[in-house]
């Protein structure tokens, strides 16, 4: 839809006296996957309650319209033509904060602040705890595990654009994040130590002998 069409539908069916948000004003912008825009004249609570109806008015699938609260209690909408795109948006990690919101926190450099590393440390600890539970055979919420891994991966990728890889690598090592719990691209980007090769379990009652290269083989 073009901007004019989006506004016309909003005024006629959403902001009218019979619509879900009477008197609300939308300032939209078309995107490759739908549209987005700031809404004035309403509250985040009212907009969230009307999200399903607004999506229906625009002919969008269920759960394809997202309502975000902006600074000062404003409302911002993201409308997607596919519900999968909206779900991807929901799962996308929040950007790593850089400390500019806090006047009492000094920046550690032009690109990062102490808050960046505090946030990344928090992500790493949560991921490590989930990983230990998973490997230990304890019950794990796999959706939460996947989300925490995605958060950590996105946080690492983001901070690497503004920081040295050695700093990020040392942070993860101090937390104790094992290499096998990290994606390959992160291991490569950080030059993360892999450690020893995994051992092959030995069958009971089978004799092994070492070759010259110290590789255990079944004795003949």
């Amino acid at each position: 839809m073009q901007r004019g069409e989006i506004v016309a539908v909003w005024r006629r069916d959403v902001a009218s006296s019979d619509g879900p948000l009477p008197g609300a004003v939308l300032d939209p912008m078309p995107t490759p996957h739908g549209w987005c825009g700031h809404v004035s004249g309403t509250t985040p609570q009212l907009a969230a309650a009307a999200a399903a109806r607004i999506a229906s008015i625009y002919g969008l699938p269920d759960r394809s319209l997202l309502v975000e609260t902006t600074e000062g209690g404003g409302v911002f909408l993201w409308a997607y033509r596919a519900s999968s795109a909206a779900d991807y948006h929901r799962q996308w990690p929040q950007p790593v904060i850089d400390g500019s919101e806090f006047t009492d926190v000094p920046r550690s450099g032009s690109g990062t602040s102490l808050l960046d590393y505090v946030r990344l440390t928090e992500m790493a600890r949560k991921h490590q705890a989930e990983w230990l539970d998973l490997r230990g055979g304890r019950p794990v919420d796999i959706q939460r595990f996947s989300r925490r891994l995605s958060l950590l991966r996105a946080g690492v990728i983001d901070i690497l654009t503004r920081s040295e890889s050695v700093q990020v690598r040392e942070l993860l090592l101090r937390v104790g994040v094992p290499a096998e719990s990290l994606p390959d691209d992160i291991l490569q980007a950080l030059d993360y130590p892999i450690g020893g090769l995994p051992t092959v379990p030995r069958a009971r009652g089978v004799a092994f002998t070492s070759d010259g290269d110290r590789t255990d083989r079944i004795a003949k």
Side-chain angles (χ1 to χ4, degrees):
M1 298 179 72
Q2 298 299 316
R3 185 181 188 280
E5 297 177 276
I6 299 170
V7 172
V9 172
W10 182 274
R11 289 174 177 171
R12 183 184 68 242
D13 299 323
V14 178
S16 66
S17 57
D18 296 327
L21 296 177
V25 177
L26 172 68
D27 182 16
M29 178 181 71
T31 70
H33 305 287
W35 54 267
C36 64
H38 179 264
V39 180
S40 57
T42 189
T43 66
Q45 293 77 14
L46 290 175
R53 187 173 171 189
I54 295 173
S56 177
I57 289 172
Y58 280 93
L60 302 173
D62 187 36
R63 290 178 54 79
S64 62
L65 190 135
L66 288 77
V67 179
E68 294 183 352
T69 303
T70 62
E71 185 178 357
V75 176
F76 195 89
L77 300 183
W78 291 91
Y80 290 95
R81 290 192 296 270
S83 55
S84 58
D87 185 65
Y88 183 83
H89 184 123
R90 289 186 186 91
Q91 301 301 322
W92 189 252
Q94 296 295 322
V96 178
I97 54 180
D98 64 4
S100 60
E101 303 89 347
F102 304 90
T103 58
D104 58 339
V105 179
R107 289 176 180 268
S108 61
S110 59
T112 59
S113 76
L114 177 62
L115 286 175
D116 282 312
Y117 296 101
V118 170
R119 173 94 170 127
L120 193 62
T121 299
E122 178 188 12
M123 294 177 185
R125 285 176 176 164
K126 289 181 177 180
H127 167 67
Q128 183 206 30
E130 293 278 354
W131 174 259
L132 292 177
D133 284 343
L134 184 65
R135 292 300 298 268
R138 290 177 287 276
V140 172
D141 184 328
I142 197 64
Q143 183 172 0
R144 185 177 64 187
F145 173 82
S146 177
R147 176 164 176 77
R148 285 181 172 176
L149 176 58
S150 297
L151 281 168
L152 178 60
R153 180 179 181 276
V156 169
I157 291 174
D158 178 82
I159 204 170
L160 280 177
T161 64
R162 300 175 282 121
S163 176
E164 296 293 333
S165 61
V166 63
Q167 293 177 296
V168 183
R169 181 173 67 246
E170 290 178 356
L171 183 152
L172 296 182
L173 288 173
R174 284 199 304 270
V175 172
V177 177
E180 60 267 25
S181 74
L182 296 173
D184 289 344
D185 58 342
I186 296 300
L187 295 177
Q188 295 172 4
L190 298 179
D191 193 21
Y192 208 75
I194 303 299
L197 295 175
T199 57
V200 178
R202 297 189 177 195
R204 293 180 180 178
V206 178
F208 285 80
T209 183
S210 295
D211 285 350
D213 61 357
R214 297 182 181 179
T215 300
D216 285 342
R217 302 187 186 281
I218 298 177
K220 296 181 179 180

